[in-house]
Amino acid sequence: MFYQLMKYVLLGPLLKLLFRPRIEGLEHVPAEGAAIVAGNHLSFSDHFLMPAVLERRITFLAKQEYFTGPGLKGRLTAAFFRAAGQIPVDRSGKEAGQAAIREGLGVLGRGELLGIYPEGTRSHDGRLYKGKVGVAVMALRAGVPVVPCAMVGTFEIQPPGRVVPRIRRVTIRFGEPLDFSRFAGQEGEKAVVRAVTDEIMYEILRLSGQEYVDEYAAVVKAAEAGGPSDEGPGKFPGGER
């Protein structure tokens, strides 16, 4: 109920009025049945703009910190994400990636849309980074198509660190669904899941026109900040950081 209220009455119409999103390829998103929408991640605004233009409800895997923040702001944020049906995922420990996969498969098992950011974090510089393989594992295990999505212009309206977005027009572009049924039963093969992930990232790159970096975004962020990173391909398959 809260999701519909936000999408159709409160937030959705306002977002469309302010940012006047150009929507391309919406017909590629299946009208029914389970599917993964895999997109680039340039801005906090992505969380709201993509669901606003989709005709179906979509559920994202969200970082657990959104649900555990202190004070009134933390409680309001947690209430918002819970009411919107977003799923908290603990990104710490060896089981973090597997927990995210289990949660994602639960969404797909109900025949719903699952939203994933394969990079695992927002791009800090507008470039597209190497994707984590969790998206491939879920697509192969659930036997569902993957719809690539490109958010264009959201980095310019709200780059990391900016609280209030600039009011500019953005583009949300969906590509044709990717069918990986030829790899059915091979989600345990490292070479296969890497190849599937790279194919998904290539389609996102083609749609977005970004510069591509063949490294994990979290690792690059940590290096630029002068600190170590424990991120790797198996830590967290997709979501917000």
Side-chain angles (χ1 to χ4, degrees):
M1 181 64 182
F2 182 81
Y3 186 94
Q4 285 76 16
L5 179 65
M6 293 297 293
K7 178 179 175 66
Y8 296 110
V9 180
L10 301 177
L11 188 58
L14 179 62
L15 291 174
K16 291 179 180 179
L17 177 65
L18 292 176
F19 300 105
R20 299 173 294 121
R22 300 183 186 90
I23 309 166
E24 301 176 9
L26 188 60
E27 69 276 7
H28 295 315
V29 180
E32 58 183 19
I36 295 172
V37 179
N40 59 342
H41 196 15
L42 296 167
S43 168
F44 186 74
S45 298
D46 297 341
H47 284 299
F48 309 103
L49 287 168
M50 187 201 296
V53 304
L54 286 172
E55 297 176 2
R56 295 178 60 187
R57 175 172 179 151
I58 186 168
T59 298
F60 283 89
L61 302 177
K63 65 180 181 180
Q64 190 178 55
E65 289 86 337
Y66 282 144
F67 300 82
T68 58
L72 178 61
K73 179 181 178 182
R75 291 195 295 273
L76 291 174
T77 300
F80 175 84
F81 276 90
R82 286 195 184 96
Q86 306 309 291
I87 299 174
V89 176
D90 183 359
R91 300 173 298 158
S92 62
K94 295 180 180 179
E95 295 299 318
Q98 291 304 313
I101 288 172
R102 286 194 299 270
E103 294 288 357
L105 290 174
V107 174
L108 297 171
R110 296 192 294 271
E112 301 172 3
L113 285 181
L114 176 67
I116 296 177
Y117 302 120
E119 293 168 276
T121 184
R122 278 175 285 175
S123 173
H124 63 295
D125 58 9
R127 298 187 293 177
L128 184 70
Y129 285 85
K130 186 176 183 178
K132 297 190 175 185
V133 300
V135 60
V137 172
M138 283 186 273
L140 296 180
R141 193 172 295 176
V144 299
V146 177
V147 179
C149 174
M151 308 296 293
V152 181
T154 57
F155 184 83
E156 286 72 22
I157 68 169
Q158 193 181 20
R162 184 179 179 89
V163 177
V164 179
R166 302 181 180 95
I167 306 303
R168 296 181 183 176
R169 197 169 192 184
V170 300
T171 298
I172 305 173
R173 190 174 291 138
F174 299 94
E176 294 184 10
L178 303 175
D179 178 10
F180 297 109
S181 58
R182 64 192 185 277
F183 297 121
Q186 299 183 58
E187 64 271 15
E189 300 292 331
K190 291 184 179 180
V192 170
V193 296
R194 183 73 259 165
V196 169
T197 303
D198 288 346
E199 184 174 338
I200 294 168
M201 298 309 295
Y202 175 78
E203 288 303 314
I204 295 173
L205 176 66
R206 187 179 64 81
L207 292 169
S208 70
Q210 293 170 266
E211 179 184 347
Y212 180 72
V213 181
D214 192 28
E215 295 184 69
Y216 294 110
V219 174
V220 174
K221 284 183 182 180
E224 292 183 359
S229 171
D230 60 356
E231 293 294 337
K235 284 297 294 274
F236 191 74
E240 160 60 24
R241 293 172 185 241

